[in-house]
Amino acid sequence: MAEQNRAYHGVAGQVFAARADAPGLNSLHERPAVVSLIGDARGQEVADLGCGAGHLAAILSAAGAKVTGVEGSEVLAGVAREAAPMATIVHHDLDVPLGFLPDASQDGVVCALVIHHLSDRPRFLSEVRRILRPGGWFVLSSTHPTADWGYFGGSYFDERWVTRSFGEATMEYQLMTMSTLLNEVADAGFVLERLVEPQPVEALRMIDAEQFDKWSSAPIFVALRAHVAG
């Protein structure tokens, strides 16, 4: 798979940043669920892995967390630095080990809508486990396996790489079953605390009632919170 199609480089980064900022699937559907799962992070050191345009990094920083955002797209890293000036934003490929983050250095890690783009999820999850302190929390979101299955068709169990268009850009990611996602998290040494299949927040109804009804009828995202085992 070509790297440029998996990390929102160039035009893809610009399109993603605009869409993530506008009222819709990110801001009024997936992001509120992730923020709710994180809870109160004030005074904590948090790594936002795949920080995108910096929305979560900005929210967490404003709430009193010390945030290190990591983003593989140079375009999005630049946007994130402007959106979250109190956070430290690092341009780094998440398919490469996080050598700049020491062992047991983070109280929490958030990884929103990123893991399905990575070429070696078990290695990435082991890095998340390495940088977390004992008892540290991990909040993860991804596209919902059944939503992807409904869109692309074929066998639900065919965990193939697919390409999806949005606006002027295309993006590649790997399909996975729900059992694959949960078992990989468990195998990396995490204990599941909560799993949610988010629905859009009420504010979206006031902006676009048709989309609110559509997105309320079937899952589009899945999000979970886990902690370090032992």
Side-chain angles (χ1 to χ4, degrees), residues 15-37:
V15 173
F16 176 84
R19 289 194 168 213
D21 199 40
L25 278 174
N26 290 99
S27 63
L28 298 177
H29 195 160
E30 179 266 347
R31 195 179 305 143
V34 169
V35 170
S36 178
L37 285 172

Side-chain angles (χ1 to χ4, degrees), residues 37-212:
L37 285 172
I38 293 172
D40 185 0
R42 88 185 92 178
Q44 297 185 7
E45 294 192 61
V46 179
D48 181 359
L49 303 182
C51 67
H55 294 91
L56 286 173
I59 291 169
L60 291 169
S61 296
K66 181 181 178 181
V67 181
T68 300
V70 183
E71 174 53 48
S73 163
E74 188 170 4
V75 171
L76 287 177
V79 174
R81 291 187 184 104
E82 294 186 8
M86 293 186 291
T88 299
I89 306 297
V90 180
H91 175 222
H92 180 82
D93 183 354
L94 291 178
D95 273 322
V96 176
L98 304 168
F100 53 93
L101 290 174
D103 294 359
S105 62
Q106 305 297 305
D107 298 297
V109 169
V110 58
C111 179
L113 300 179
V114 173
I115 196 163
H116 46 289
H117 295 298
L118 303 181
S119 61
D120 189 346
R121 295 189 303 270
R123 186 215 57 77
F124 170 75
L125 290 168
S126 72
E127 279 290 276
V128 173
R129 173 67 181 83
R130 178 186 67 78
I131 66 175
L132 278 170
R133 296 187 173 111
W137 56 264
F138 178 37
V139 169
L140 167 72
S141 69
S142 183
T143 57
H144 198 289
T146 60
D148 286 333
W149 179 36
Y151 183 84
F152 291 104
S155 170
Y156 171 76
F157 298 100
D158 183 3
E159 297 185 330
R160 65 193 186 277
W161 285 88
V162 295
T163 300
R164 191 161 187 170
S165 299
F166 58 104
E168 305 170 53
T170 60
M171 181 54 55
E172 291 175 337
Y173 63 97
Q174 189 174 17
L175 304 181
M176 70 181 94
T177 64
M178 188 71 79
S179 58
T180 292
L181 175 63
L182 296 180
N183 287 332
E184 287 181 354
V185 170
D187 289 345
F190 293 97
V191 176
L192 179 66
E193 295 179 17
R194 188 168 182 81
L195 183 144
V196 296
E197 295 164 300
Q199 291 187 304
V201 299
E202 191 65 24
L204 182 61
R205 190 197 298 272
M206 304 301 294
I207 299 169
D208 191 331
E210 183 178 349
Q211 291 285 36
F212 178 87

